[in-house]
Amino acid sequence: MTELHTRGAATGTGDRSRPRAVLPALCATQITSWGIIFYAFPVLNPAIIADTGWPPGATTGAFSLALLISAFAGIRVGRIIDHRGPRTVMTAGSVLGVVSLLIIAAAPNLPLFFAGWLLAGLAMAATFYQPAFAALTRWWAPDHVRALTIVTLAGGLASTVFAPITAALADHMSWRATYGVLALVLAAVTVPTHALALKALWPAVPLALPVQTGDSATAVAHSRPFWVLAAALTLSALTVSAVVVALVPLLLERGYSTDEAAWALGIGGAGQTLGRALYATLARRSGTTVRTTALIALGGLTTATLGLVPGPYTVLVALSITAGMVRGNLTLLQATAVTDRWGATHYGRLSGILAAPVTVASALAPWAGAVLAGPLGGYDGLFLALAISSAAAAVLSVTSGRLTLRH
């Protein structure tokens, strides 16, 4: 097995027939799904804790459970999409997302709150980036990097759009009512869009994409390069996911208002959009291993800087934007990791397996951050510890690259 794209993923143009509605549809649904199911929680969690008296570790634990469930469900979702396409899975996931938010909004106790987030985890697996990436990689080859970039550019606006909207709603109504309104928006945008826009014929693996010619998906999934890469991406995900959820309490701990913290988080989404716009150029000009290592290391550097620099507010916003740029590139890095190294024949399955430990880390990050902040002396100490995690991930990335070349 050799590294298939030594100078990055394919970014050229092609003339395959593509369903025109798919790309704008997935842009709209990624903004809405991520913005409502994921980014609303960091904004509403302080209000949830204040209103219910539930421990912070419990509420963030429920959110972490959702991400954990999505990690394991994503493997099955990838296999289904490989064989049947994304329409049924993503439409059902949208419906489930609406139901889960209504349960969360009405939950009178922690067990029902956890149950709502469990269902939300299944919805995440069926509607977030992984199924969208599988759809675009198959439908859009050989321009899949361009298509992935476009949809993640849109998805990067999720926090920019919905974090301030969520904060504004919460200023005028309870967190329960806010989740109810957001559930209605999720239903109106994502359910009909997935049902109507993803009807196109599901094609065979296009010849424009590299395919496995020797190793099976099982062999790849059990290889050392695959799992060392998975370990690198997992440690990196632990850092960036914890930073997203911990940024608001970090700024609150430093004396900033909830609105200021929400805007800093939201503007970081604009950084994601900017970073993703640069990814195709980065992919053309760098090798796979160099690109992976550099982005992971930059993620650690921005995290350390956030932990060390107390202000002023404009500097922290600039750091949030920079961290968002790195986070946006890391999303595309993971989306192209399989095709860059092992081809596209079993993209959905291999991508789901690769994403599973990454999503587990993302799942544990909010809970771990809330639990570890105290023993580490506050959120400043937490951010410095997370930066060390990214440094270890960068070392593993280099190791994976060397193993891939030898394999």
Side-chain angles (χ1 to χ4, degrees), residues 17-25 140 197 200:
S17 177
R18 299 169 185 137
R20 294 182 179 180
V22 167
L23 191 54
W140 242 255

Side-chain angles (χ1 to χ4, degrees), residues 35-36 39-41 43-44 161-171 178-179 182:
I36 291 176
Y39 283 108
F41 175 77
V43 178
L44 292 177
V161 173
F162 280 98
I165 288 176
T166 301
L169 289 172
D171 283 342
T178 299
Y179 261 133
L182 293 175

Side-chain angles (χ1 to χ4, degrees), residues 357-404:
V358 173
T359 310
V360 168
S362 299
L364 295 176
W367 171 81
V371 170
L372 293 176
L376 291 171
Y379 283 91
D380 290 345
L382 173 65
F383 273 57
L384 293 177
L386 292 171
I388 295 173
S389 173
S390 283
V395 173
L396 287 172
S397 172
V398 174
T399 303
S400 174
R402 290 175 178 173
L403 289 171
T404 301

Side-chain angles (χ1 to χ4, degrees), residues 193-243:
T193 302
H194 285 149
L196 297 175
L198 303 180
K199 295 190 297 184
L201 179 68
W202 189 235
V205 178
L207 295 178
L209 283 177
V211 299
Q212 285 95 349
T213 56
D215 294 336
S216 66
T218 301
V220 171
H222 286 85
S223 67
R224 287 184 65 196
F226 186 90
W227 282 109
V228 173
L229 175 66
L233 295 177
T234 297
L235 286 176
S236 177
L238 180 68
T239 296
V240 297
S241 298
V243 167

Side-chain angles (χ1 to χ4, degrees), residues 33-34 36-42 57-75 77 93 96-97 99-101 103-104 110-128 130 179 241 245 355-368:
S33 297
W34 276 97
I36 291 176
I37 301 177
F38 188 92
Y39 283 108
F41 175 77
T59 58
T60 55
F63 184 68
S64 293
L65 173 66
L67 296 171
L68 189 64
I69 293 298
S70 73
F72 294 104
I75 298 174
V77 167
L96 195 59
V99 173
S100 70
L101 290 182
I103 292 173
I104 291 166
L110 272 174
L112 198 57
F113 188 76
F114 269 77
W117 280 109
L118 186 152
L119 293 179
L122 296 176
M124 292 176 184
T127 60
F128 277 13
Q130 287 306 122
Y179 261 133
S241 298
V245 178
V358 173
T359 310
V360 168
S362 299
L364 295 176
W367 171 81

Side-chain angles (χ1 to χ4, degrees), residues 286-312:
S286 62
T288 302
T289 300
V290 171
R291 182 167 65 254
T292 303
T293 304
L295 288 172
I296 290 174
L298 283 171
L301 179 61
T302 56
T303 301
T305 307
L306 279 167
L308 291 170
V309 177

